[in-house]
Amino acid sequence: MTLQFSLGSAAPETVDTPCVVVGVYENGVLTSAAARVDTAAHGAIKRQVESGDINGKAGTTTLLYAPEGVTAKRVLVVGLGTQKTLDGARYQRVNSEAVRALGRLPIDSAVSYLSEVDVPGHDAIWRVRTAALAADHAAYRYTATFKPRDKSPQPELGALTLAAGHEAQIGLDQAVAMAEGVRFARELANLPPNICNPAYIADQASRFADQHDKVSCKVLDHEVMGELGFGSLLAVGRGSANKPKLVVLEYKGGAEGDKPYAFVGKGITFDTGGISLKPGPGMEEMKFDMGGAAGVLGSFVATVKLGLPVNLVCVVPAVENMPDGDSYRPGDVLTSLSGLTIEVLNTDAEGRLILCDALTYTAQTFQPKVLIDAATLTGACVIALGKHASGVMSKHDDLAAELIAAGEHALDRAWRLPLWDEYQVQLESGFADVANIGGKNAGAITAGCFLARFTEGQRWAHLDIAGTAWDEGRKGLATGRPVSLLVQWLIDRSV
């Protein structure tokens, strides 16, 4: 079920809803909405604060059922933490926890007054957008499940009203479009790899294009790519029965003749490592190795839904990396679309091999004003930055700064890593122009340096989302990152 959002301005003590959501700070201070509910309920919230049942710690929730004097059937009190240190990240978190708590209740709708909470440095538009995005993310359920469904499920949260004036409508509109893009990315990445293969991604892109004006889709199959010279990309897919596809989406929302922005996403629909086979434990998570493709496709969806006045190209090299008698090998030398030759030292460093051809194709075909790729590229980036920040690499200081600022605003954060020429020596080869790995040191950076060789003359940035694209573990789901970052970056370019 997709969560439906609206804005409302009714008083919290009189709004007719199955549940009203208000906040309390850690020091016992009530927000204005909580104070109004407390007054109408004859001190019901303050009594729980005084008894210690409500402590105000960030993300904690307490449910009051049918308090006398309040129209709502329930009041959910959410802890906001210390008032003086409330920031955007904590605001996002408390909204997420509120919706998780609402999702455990037998209700189909609620009204939240957390969108009125003051967050220093942010206006009502940002608060509404962030609250809605956090709520949608928390309410997401993997819908393409193969488990039997409960025949008589209890009511599910399907509608959330956020307290705000009409001036915040733009924030809600942005949130709805961005949330649709995030859900598109998450659903695609969460699918099992026997369903989400290169042909499936191509089909989903084609369907989206058919349903929207100003959008077109072209799919290059392995035969066409072979004729064009995609020697690096095709080598990666040689061992799979699922043949590679290059998916090209175009959105013409800007002025005719305006150069487009271009997003390229790594689409390894399953990565065994090829001949350089990965360890078995945890290999099932390699269905998420197309997180970059999912992210740029989700960003494309959100951009179209928002109707941003930009021209945008989205290119996805969709490939499966499998071991087989025809698989490419360590020691092979590949000729890329650019003409540069590549010595393969490890077939598990395959993402850069499909991206280099896709980046070359995108640059040659569209001459974009900016070229950005997103990829679950290296475990080294996870070691460096963990699960909280994506890695940004670019030779253009202004572009890197723009992306980092967009991530901060959207709370889809990224951190810059160097892309200095000094690292290029690690990619030297005695048998080709470049090797596909640079050794154990600075692995995320040398992967970026590899891609830099194929983006000369381009205003280009690389996002390594290996740590941020999905949550680890048997029940870990795709996050939909970096959709919010990329869409915010485009919003910033269109104002």
Side-chain angles (χ1 to χ4, degrees):
M1 180 185 293
T2 301
L3 199 55
Q4 302 298 313
F5 294 99
S6 61
L7 298 180
S9 56
E13 69 274 20
T14 61
V15 65
D16 187 8
T17 176
C19 189
V20 65
V21 183
V22 297
V24 173
Y25 294 102
E26 198 167 322
N27 56 2
V29 174
L30 277 57
T31 59
S32 59
R36 292 185 64 159
V37 169
D38 183 67
T39 299
H42 314 293
I45 296 177
K46 283 186 176 178
R47 284 195 296 273
Q48 296 230 24
V49 170
E50 291 165 359
S51 69
D53 292 308
I54 295 177
N55 58 31
K57 290 187 181 298
T60 58
T61 58
T62 304
L63 185 69
L64 308 181
Y65 184 77
E68 187 178 348
V70 177
T71 303
K73 296 178 178 62
R74 302 166 184 81
V75 176
L76 183 69
V77 182
V78 182
L80 302 176
T82 307
Q83 186 173 8
K84 288 184 178 180
T85 59
L86 179 64
D87 60 8
R90 196 199 308 162
Y91 176 78
Q92 180 187 55
R93 176 186 159 205
V94 297
N95 277 280
S96 295
E97 293 302 330
V99 171
R100 289 190 181 96
L102 291 172
R104 294 189 288 267
L105 301 176
I107 61 174
D108 59 6
S109 63
V111 179
S112 174
Y113 289 82
L114 298 182
S115 48
E116 293 182 338
V117 172
D118 180 52
V119 184
H122 297 290
D123 59 12
I125 292 172
W126 182 91
R127 293 197 307 268
V128 164
R129 192 182 85 167
T130 301
L133 281 169
D136 193 84
H137 200 278
Y140 171 82
R141 299 291 179 271
Y142 174 52
T143 56
T145 180
F146 295 90
K147 294 193 282 189
R149 292 183 177 274
D150 187 345
K151 293 182 180 178
S152 56
Q154 68 176 19
E156 293 183 6
L157 183 68
L160 183 66
T161 298
L162 300 171
H166 295 301
E167 72 279 0
Q169 186 64 47
I170 186 174
L172 190 63
D173 293 342
Q174 288 178 351
V176 169
M178 292 168 78
E180 186 167 348
V182 170
R183 286 195 306 273
F184 186 94
R186 297 184 81 185
E187 203 72 3
L188 201 61
N190 285 330
L191 284 168
N194 58 317
I195 290 179
C196 186
N197 55 32
Y200 183 88
I201 291 178
D203 180 65
Q204 293 301 298
S206 296
R207 288 179 181 228
F208 182 81
D210 290 342
Q211 294 166 2
H212 295 85
D213 295 334
K214 302 181 182 178
V215 177
S216 61
C217 180
K218 178 169 66 174
V219 178
L220 278 60
D221 64 18
H222 65 285
E223 293 180 347
V224 172
M225 285 189 281
E227 293 170 0
L228 293 174
F230 283 71
S232 184
L233 184 155
L234 291 175
V236 177
R238 266 189 5 223
S240 175
N242 294 305
K243 298 302 180 186
K245 306 285 185 184
L246 189 79
V247 181
V248 183
L249 280 165
E250 285 188 77
Y251 165 62
K252 295 184 177 179
E256 187 175 350
D258 235 11
K259 287 185 177 182
Y261 298 103
F263 294 159
V264 177
K266 173 186 170 185
I268 297 291
T269 59
F270 193 77
D271 183 21
T272 64
I275 297 299
S276 305
L277 193 67
K278 291 179 180 291
M283 193 192 288
E284 70 279 357
E285 292 186 19
M286 286 301 98
K287 70 176 187 176
F288 294 121
D289 208 18
M290 40 69 69
V296 298
L297 287 169
S299 302
F300 187 91
V301 167
T303 301
V304 173
K305 294 295 183 180
L306 272 174
L308 290 182
V310 298
N311 293 329
L312 178 64
V313 173
C314 179
V315 177
V316 170
V319 184
E320 191 173 55
N321 186 23
M322 301 287 284
D324 179 78
D326 194 35
S327 292
Y328 78 124
R329 297 153 291 240
D332 283 359
V333 173
L334 314 176
T335 302
S336 68
L337 181 62
S338 73
L340 288 176
T341 57
I342 304 164
E343 182 187 9
V344 178
L345 298 181
N346 189 321
T347 65
D348 194 24
E350 84 300 326
R352 64 201 72 181
L353 295 177
I354 68 169
L355 283 172
C356 69
D357 277 356
L359 288 166
T360 299
Y361 172 85
T362 306
Q364 291 177 350
T365 306
F366 299 103
Q367 293 87 47
K369 60 176 71 176
V370 180
L371 179 58
I372 300 172
D373 76 78
T376 53
L377 205 61
T378 65
C381 194
V382 188
I383 299 301
L385 298 177
K387 303 291 290 182
H388 303 290
S390 300
V392 175
M393 281 161 263
S394 179
K395 291 186 177 181
H396 302 273
D397 294 343
D398 54 347
L399 178 56
E402 290 169 7
L403 290 167
I404 290 169
E408 289 290 337
H409 188 77
L411 299 178
D412 183 2
R413 294 190 290 185
W415 192 257
R416 191 177 185 185
L417 297 173
L419 201 62
W420 302 330
D421 288 340
E422 287 88 336
Y423 290 102
Q424 289 284 0
V425 67
Q426 293 179 231
L427 294 169
E428 289 182 356
S429 166
F431 301 93
D433 294 315
V434 62
N436 79 323
I437 59 172
K440 66 179 182 179
N441 295 328
I445 295 168
T446 55
C449 287
F450 178 91
L451 296 177
R453 297 199 181 202
F454 299 86
T455 53
E456 290 291 339
Q458 296 293 312
R459 189 164 183 255
W460 161 77
H462 163 57
L463 293 175
D464 193 327
I465 60 170
T468 57
W470 79 93
D471 297 318
E472 293 175 329
R474 291 289 298 277
K475 294 185 179 181
L477 295 173
T479 63
R481 296 176 70 178
V483 171
S484 296
L485 183 159
L486 290 174
V487 176
Q488 180 60 51
W489 181 79
L490 283 176
I491 290 172
D492 293 340
R493 308 281 75 72
S494 61
V495 294

